[in-house]
Amino acid sequence: MKIHPLAALLPTLVFSCIAAGEPLVINGRDELKAALPNLKENTVIRIAPGDYGSGYQVRNIPNLTVEALDPSSPPVFRGGNEGWHFSQCSGLTLRNLTITGQSSNGINIDDEGERERPVKGITLEGLGITDIGPAGNHDAIKLSGLTGVTIRNCRIEGWGGQAIDMVGCHASLITGCTMTGKEGFTQATGIQTKGGSSSIIIEKCRFTNTGQRPLNVGGSTGMPYFRPSGAKHEARDITVRDCVIEGGDCAAAFVGVDGGSFTGNTIIHPEKWIFRILQETKAEGFVPCRNVTISGNRIVFRRSGVKTDINIGSGTEAGTFIFRDNSWFAEDAPENSKPALPSPEQGGTYGTDPRKS
């Protein structure tokens, strides 16, 4: 078989571009594979349209950018176990990529198990991630041990475990994303913040039929995986605001949370409960689920499905939850719209459809 003379020079040509500090334009899977072993700090990779397969791994490259050459025609990373896996890549930016059909995770970004050395400054923007799993704990976006993450305007459709799974992540923002469940995928959770996560803002996102817990504020984590080590809460200071949550077993589950807020959201047709307050991690010294403010939300549900408004588990301090200025409407039984809550609500309204106000 004849090999084109330029093919033998491909790694050298790629490396020269990287070393010169110029944005590296990739045309085809072979060029991408040749580029990855030679990456340097501050490299910008722009990938032309096409199908690039999957299984790409990058370690210890700071300030790397991987983005579409043409945002209107993103490169596609299809099939395999994982689309991309980045370890200890602080300053990473991923922009306008399509990841689809992986059996494990779409994108996996972690601290390589160095729990006291968090990865800082990650940006994920304009990603389209679909058909991950389809069953089991397989995530569209899996994040472990990160600080200062921004996830903006991403679209996720069909997954097994979580659309976005944050384990021990801090000081981060998820904004303007859409998560949509698909038939044939198990979809346990839309967004999950657990494992000691703190100071996370989730805003202006839309959740449609995203499974058992569209929002899992907290969760259940093995103690060796907490970041920082020794944290006594699954989640702390988690803000969910201005989101639309439609379908799912409940709108949000608060699980081992120590402080947070759920404000200005629209909830439409949860199937079993409106909220859940649970305690799943019960290690010594671990705080009970407590101190969440639920205010200014518009809640539309059906009494034919929602028999228990708030599912309260043992070991929680549900009485510390504050309910204020929410609008509750049971559309099939307006006269029975007022919920049974673990603490008295201040300023709530009941029986008027908030969609018409």
Side-chain angles (χ1 to χ4, degrees), residues 34 56 125 131 215:
Y56 297 100
E125 184 174 7
D131 300 347
L215 284 145

Side-chain angles (χ1 to χ4, degrees), residues 105 132 136-142 156 159-166 187-192 194 216:
N105 303 305
I132 306 301
N137 188 24
H138 303 302
D139 307 330
I141 300 174
K142 184 176 183 64
I156 302 172
W159 60 92
Q162 285 66 237
I164 301 174
D165 189 18
M166 306 182 87
Q187 283 120 200
T189 303
I191 297 175
Q192 177 170 257
K194 68 173 190 173
N216 204 28

Side-chain angles (χ1 to χ4, degrees), residues 56-58 82-87 92 94 104-111 124 139-144 146 165:
Y56 297 100
Q57 300 186 33
V58 180
E82 287 188 323
W84 285 85
H85 192 157
F86 298 89
S87 296
L92 173 69
L94 303 179
S104 184
N105 303 305
I107 292 174
N108 191 346
I109 305 173
D110 61 33
D111 57 8
L124 309 180
D139 307 330
I141 300 174
K142 184 176 183 64
L143 308 174
S144 307
L146 313 183
D165 189 18

